Amino acid sequence: MSALLTFEDVGMTYGHTTVLEGVNAEIAAGEVVCVIGPSGSGKSTLLRCGAGLETPSTGVVSVAGEPVGWTRRRGRLVPARNRAVARQRAQLGVVFQHFELFPHMTVLENIIEGPRGVLDVPAEDARQRARELLGRVGLTAYESRYPAQLSGGQQQRAAIARSLAMRPAVMFFDEPTSALDPEMVGEVLQVMRDLAADGMTMLVVTHEMGFAGQIADRVIFMDGGRVIEQGDATAVLTRPQTARCAEFLSRILERPVA
Amino acid sequence: MSTVEIVHERPPGVRLLAARRSARHNLAVSAVVLVIAVLALFSIARNHRFQWGVVGSYLTTGAVLKGLLTTFWLTFLVVALGLVGGIVVALLRRSRVPAISWLAWLFTWFFRSVPMLVQIIFWFNFAALYPTLSFGIPGGPTFVSAPTNSVISPLVAVIIGFALHESAFMGEIIRAGLNSVPSGQWQAARSLGMTEGRLLRRVVLPQVIRVVLPTIGNEAISVMKETSLISVIAVTDLLYSVQLIYSVNFQTIPLLIVATIWYLAFTIVLGMLQWLLERRFGRSVRIAAPASRGAAA
């Protein structure tokens, strides 16, 4: 199994606070990996490092063997230029907890912004592709709406379409349903299920344990900035090997799962 | 069942009555205010010492209109330059390089602190401080050199001063606007592979402008009034034009009223412009306002 996304000894320190420490993980092409753990455990930081939005203080994240945020020069790794970093980020899709659609653009404008401005796709092609994606996430009728006119679930689906328009190699989801009203969680999870079924490589930070169980090939449990346990999804979720993971799951599962 | 039942004891008519009473009350207050306003206007209009005839005869004189035109373009030029400068200052202020953000702070501190009147006189005399402008290596060879007054006229120097002064104020306004754009917006733009320049142009600044427009409208009115200080270097703006007239015919008050009328009118123009821009940049939010729902956070 060749890894598409690799975390090698990734650590992150802000001032005197260590947020991530010695994280090693591999995600194969087409694999869906869910990251779970209590809040403040470093899940989102790990995701942002993976997506190239932050550069880890130690260690390296690589996508298809290419270190993210670094270039090889004469056999050594040096920080990549801004443009090179931007090019890398362009192939890594991120879906945020609070959607982060651009409020001053319509849904369609949001989706074609990246392809048009970053990838230089001709306007007509970008629009056609955007409409195709809107169909896939069930928002065909909403292309000329502004984000504030949509429900949370619709906004999140539009945000997923915006990321997909860049034809990313990996999709990162940062608690994509935590900001949603309960009745809208399902529609977003369904879109993600479809994506997984299409073979998209996904790293998902989530609190939806039931969903993780259905969709994930593997689960990574984090606490205190470290990976405590990782392995086959069903195994980790139903027969956790560590006390901390077991305790976390029992706390989470006391509440009904979506 | 032990639930407490909430009883609406107030009969439905009471609210209606209260509404009618408050409407009558509002009407009475409006009438009183209107009467006071009309009386004040009457007193002003019938006071012959205001010399309304003189006001009327000078309102559209060529010299006054020319002065108005100067005030007009000076205001727009300074606001435009200040806006561009302000964006630069605000961005430098956010720089991660300490020396750069410190320099931006120093700029803001200096140009906000020195009174505009002092700056006008200073910039007007810039040529006295630096009689020649040269391009070269300090202490080494000089490549190009020219007398300062031939490169920038005193008026241009003063406009530069105005622009720097305004950049310092606009910088703070823009900085507040930049801070109002959630960090998630920056991250979303970066995750699409946008370079920082593109991110600012396409994602952040359009949102900043919407937020800061009311404050910039305010600032533009301030600039309009501040341009009157330029009279000290004998530029015939609106105020200096009427000053020139009343220094000859001694009709000080009527001519100041002429200038006041035009300043009031100019403010209305600026207000309309602001309204149009707010409509343009607020479109997405305005259309959306009634339907927004669904996000729990």
Side-chain angles (χ1 to χ4, degrees):
Chain A
M1 170 166 106
S2 71
L4 178 61
L5 177 68
T6 324
F7 295 89
E8 269 174 274
D9 194 35
V10 169
M12 190 69 167
T13 318
Y14 299 105
H16 293 291
T17 326
T18 301
V19 191
L20 280 183
E21 215 180 339
V23 174
N24 286 291
E26 290 193 340
I27 291 142
E31 203 178 19
V32 177
V33 174
C34 284
V35 186
I36 61 170
S39 50
S41 58
K43 310 180 297 277
S44 292
T45 310
L46 182 74
L47 180 138
R48 283 201 301 276
C49 287
L53 292 173
E54 284 187 59
T55 309
S57 326
T58 57
V60 172
V61 178
S62 20
V63 174
E66 286 299 309
V68 176
W70 302 86
T71 1
R72 265 182 249 278
R73 200 168 296 153
R74 283 187 230 101
R76 291 202 332 191
L77 286 185
V78 290
R81 288 168 195 281
N82 290 344
R83 247 164 225 291
V85 175
R87 255 198 307 278
Q88 286 181 325
R89 285 175 183 156
Q91 0 165 354
L92 303 169
V94 185
V95 174
F96 297 88
Q97 184 177 358
H98 296 291
F99 335 129
E100 306 301 349
L101 290 171
F102 306 133
H104 55 296
M105 300 181 191
T106 63
V107 168
L108 190 76
E109 286 165 351
N110 261 282
I111 297 174
I112 63 175
E113 181 62 30
R116 288 281 293 126
V118 177
L119 304 178
D120 273 328
V121 174
E124 203 33 61
D125 297 0
R127 265 197 295 274
Q128 198 186 333
R129 164 96 175 131
R131 296 205 168 104
E132 211 177 285
L133 288 167
L134 280 174
R136 244 171 99 179
V137 299
L139 289 175
T140 302
Y142 296 86
E143 65 166 61
S144 44
R145 300 279 188 98
Y146 284 98
Q149 292 172 287
L150 303 181
S151 72
Q154 290 167 334
Q155 287 189 57
Q156 193 60 301
R157 283 184 282 146
I160 293 174
R162 177 177 69 177
S163 277
L164 290 175
M166 299 295 288
R167 301 183 190 275
V170 185
M171 283 283 280
F172 296 85
F173 294 82
D174 191 2
E175 303 194 24
T177 57
S178 330
L180 295 176
D181 282 342
E183 79 264 27
M184 294 174 181
V185 170
E187 60 193 64
V188 171
L189 294 184
Q190 190 51 49
V191 168
M192 292 171 65
R193 265 186 217 106
D194 294 345
L195 264 183
D198 285 352
M200 174 62 77
T201 310
M202 292 159 63
L203 184 74
V204 186
V205 170
T206 185
H207 287 298
E208 307 280 343
M209 293 307 146
F211 172 71
Q214 291 166 20
I215 192 181
D217 298 307
R218 284 188 305 123
V219 166
I220 296 177
F221 170 72
M222 293 185 69
D223 196 8
R226 292 175 158 280
V227 172
I228 305 297
E229 188 168 341
Q230 60 175 314
D232 176 74
T234 343
V236 174
L237 291 173
T238 56
R239 298 181 301 279
Q241 301 297 305
T242 58
R244 265 200 274 182
C245 186
E247 196 248 345
F248 169 76
L249 287 172
S250 72
R251 243 187 307 138
I252 282 267
L253 296 173
E254 273 167 22
R255 294 185 285 120
V257 171
Chain B
M1 249 169 63
S2 65
T3 47
V4 180
E5 213 171 312
I6 297 159
V7 184
H8 296 280
E9 285 192 76
R10 196 165 47 173
V14 170
R15 263 178 76 180
L16 209 65
L17 207 65
R20 207 179 295 154
R21 192 176 298 153
S22 92
R24 217 184 303 151
H25 175 259
N26 289 350
L27 210 66
V29 172
S30 303
V32 170
V33 171
L34 205 69
V35 167
I36 293 173
V38 167
L39 287 177
L41 271 177
F42 252 105
S43 148
I44 294 169
R46 292 177 53 181
N47 185 343
H48 63 91
R49 289 187 188 83
F50 278 109
Q51 310 241 45
W52 293 109
V54 180
V55 171
S57 66
Y58 278 103
L59 194 61
T60 52
T61 319
V64 170
L65 291 183
K66 258 179 81 180
L68 176 64
L69 192 68
T70 304
T71 294
F72 201 73
W73 69 254
L74 204 56
T75 301
F76 278 106
L77 186 63
V78 170
V79 168
L81 290 174
L83 205 53
V84 174
I87 290 172
V88 172
V89 172
L91 290 174
L92 292 182
R93 187 77 187 274
R94 291 172 67 98
S95 169
R96 259 172 296 179
V97 183
I100 291 180
S101 79
W102 182 78
L103 206 69
W105 176 87
L106 198 72
F107 176 91
T108 308
W109 167 72
F110 185 84
F111 284 100
R112 278 202 308 181
S113 311
V114 182
M116 198 54 229
L117 189 55
V118 176
Q119 284 194 54
I120 289 176
I121 297 168
F122 174 87
W123 286 100
F124 188 68
N125 293 302
F126 187 67
L129 295 164
Y130 287 93
T132 54
L133 288 180
S134 41
F135 179 73
I137 299 160
T142 302
F143 304 128
V144 194
S145 180
T148 302
N149 272 332
S150 72
V151 180
I152 45 170
S153 71
L155 177 61
V156 172
V158 168
I159 289 172
I160 291 172
F162 256 119
L164 292 174
H165 180 73
E166 205 42 42
S167 299
F169 281 97
M170 290 285 196
E172 288 297 284
I173 296 172
I174 302 287
R175 198 162 67 89
L178 286 172
N179 290 342
S180 78
V181 178
S183 65
Q185 289 284 308
W186 303 68
Q187 289 193 17
R190 286 188 189 124
S191 83
L192 290 178
M194 289 193 197
T195 53
E196 297 298 292
R198 188 168 184 87
L199 169 158
L200 285 172
R201 223 171 47 245
R202 300 286 303 172
V203 176
V204 173
L205 286 180
Q207 297 184 54
V208 167
I209 295 296
R210 187 183 71 78
V211 175
V212 300
L213 262 174
T215 322
I216 288 184
N218 227 3
E219 196 60 29
I221 294 172
S222 286
V223 170
M224 173 195 80
K225 292 184 292 183
E226 260 185 359
T227 57
S228 66
L229 292 171
I230 209 166
S231 61
V232 297
I233 60 160
V235 172
T236 47
D237 74 321
L238 179 55
L239 184 63
Y240 194 54
S241 302
V242 302
Q243 282 176 335
L244 285 179
I245 299 171
Y246 71 63
S247 65
V248 175
N249 67 8
F250 302 111
Q251 302 279 16
T252 309
I253 298 294
L255 278 153
L256 284 178
I257 291 173
V258 167
T260 303
I261 288 171
W262 283 119
Y263 280 121
L264 286 168
F266 193 5
T267 304
I268 290 177
V269 171
L270 288 174
M272 283 183 341
L273 206 65
Q274 179 186 339
W275 181 78
L276 282 174
L277 286 171
E278 278 181 24
R279 256 173 68 98
R280 172 68 189 77
F281 281 93
R283 206 176 31 183
S284 57
V285 184
R286 202 180 57 252
I287 293 174
S292 173
R293 60 177 222 87

